[in-house]
Amino acid sequence: MEFRHSHSLGQNFLSDGNLLSAIAADARILPTDDVVEVGAGMGALTRKLAQCARSVTAFEIDERLREYLDPLCAECGNVRVIYGDFMKSDIPVREYKAAANLPYYITTPVLFRFLDDPACRSVTVMVQLEVAERMIAPPGGKDYGALSVAVQLAGSATVTRRVGRHMFDPPPKVDSAVVRIEKTAAPVTDGVKRLVRAAFSMRRKTLVNCLASCGYDRIKVLGALSDMGLDPAVRGERISPQGFTELAARL
């Protein structure tokens, strides 16, 4: 019986072998690497990752896909599938590289989990093109926001390839891109996270007004901006990732 894709689970599968091999290559998987994949689907990317890695731990929330994934585990020998919600599951790997064709509906929380996990060394993911643009956006533009800051504080992010919607089954309504993040820094502190969330909570307001609305002391914020040589009317989208780290330390 033909598999019926679930729209609510963001099931848009890739099947082109050359593209899947290219994504695995973008992830720079070595034979000594353990890999974590989210959204294994029918296992097409899982298989390519398994050919490169020591082991692949794949998460899949849709139990209907057992008929494809269980035989793959038996065939490859270095793949295990955890059936359940990735965001509610433990990651049973001490050190790993993340690689995935992420379901669109869960893209941002999965990214933040990988960025926050010190056991994760790099992240290579297929995401919506607009999300990819936000991840690498420089300060000052409309695409720059909390996700941009989080990604760029974690390490170096690069769009390795664009992928047209026609490459998926079924085709989504938007194009996609593969982004690789080489993590080079310790996880962002809770103080910086809170500051960044507050800074982008009301984009049309000045940074001072956003932070004051979220409980920060207005006078202290103004003093910190002055010490950093920043205009008191500056908006959050003008602050670099490193600027947020410095501002958080001053506050």
Side-chain angles (χ1 to χ4, degrees):
M1 185 172 66
E2 183 179 358
F3 181 80
R4 298 187 65 179
H5 297 76
S6 170
H7 178 73
S8 65
L9 294 178
Q11 289 179 334
N12 303 96
F13 298 153
L14 289 168
S15 59
D16 184 274
N18 291 331
L19 176 58
L20 291 163
S21 295
I23 295 171
D26 290 344
R28 302 178 190 175
I29 306 300
L30 302 176
T32 54
D33 287 330
D34 297 309
V35 177
V36 170
E37 181 190 15
V38 178
M42 294 181 175
L45 179 59
T46 314
R47 181 186 299 276
K48 296 294 185 181
L49 296 171
Q51 292 170 356
C52 305
R54 175 169 59 189
S55 74
V56 177
T57 300
F59 290 82
E60 176 52 56
I61 198 170
D62 191 346
E63 293 267 358
R64 297 179 302 159
L65 291 163
R66 281 184 179 273
E67 65 175 293
Y68 303 95
L69 295 174
D70 288 353
L72 177 64
C73 291
E75 175 190 341
C76 292
N78 63 341
V79 175
R80 59 177 166 177
V81 178
I82 297 174
Y83 294 97
D85 186 340
F86 172 72
M87 295 304 297
K88 298 177 181 178
S89 304
D90 293 331
I91 301 175
V93 187
R94 293 178 59 185
E95 184 175 311
Y96 63 90
K97 293 179 178 179
N101 171 24
L102 289 181
Y104 291 163
Y105 79 101
I106 200 175
T107 294
T108 301
V110 169
L111 281 173
F112 274 107
R113 184 173 186 190
F114 284 142
L115 295 177
D116 288 343
D117 187 357
C120 180
R121 299 306 183 209
S122 68
V123 183
T124 305
V125 286
M126 176 90 73
V127 297
Q128 288 174 279
L129 180 59
E130 65 178 46
V131 175
E133 291 170 343
R134 284 164 48 202
M135 291 166 70
I136 64 170
K142 63 180 179 62
D143 292 327
Y144 183 73
L147 179 60
S148 317
V149 175
V151 168
Q152 293 168 37
L153 283 178
S156 175
T158 306
V159 173
T160 61
R161 66 190 68 248
R162 292 182 59 161
V163 180
R165 64 196 75 182
H166 64 281
M167 299 295 291
F168 295 85
D169 179 29
K173 295 181 179 180
V174 296
D175 291 335
S176 299
V178 178
V179 182
R180 173 178 166 78
I181 307 167
E182 185 66 36
K183 293 179 67 178
T184 58
V188 177
T189 65
D190 289 341
V192 175
K193 292 178 190 175
R194 175 174 174 251
L195 178 67
V196 172
R197 284 196 298 269
F200 292 101
S201 60
M202 295 167 282
R203 292 185 69 104
R204 297 184 67 180
K205 288 191 174 184
T206 65
L207 178 61
V208 173
N209 285 339
C210 282
L211 297 186
S213 297
C214 293
Y216 288 86
D217 184 288
R218 180 183 295 271
I219 301 303
K220 287 184 178 180
V221 174
L222 286 169
L225 292 177
S226 177
D227 291 343
M228 293 171 64
L230 295 172
D231 188 327
V234 70
R235 285 181 167 79
E237 61 263 28
R238 296 288 176 181
I239 307 296
S240 70
Q242 293 72 27
F244 277 111
T245 298
E246 180 180 351
L247 181 57
R250 290 179 180 274
L251 295 176

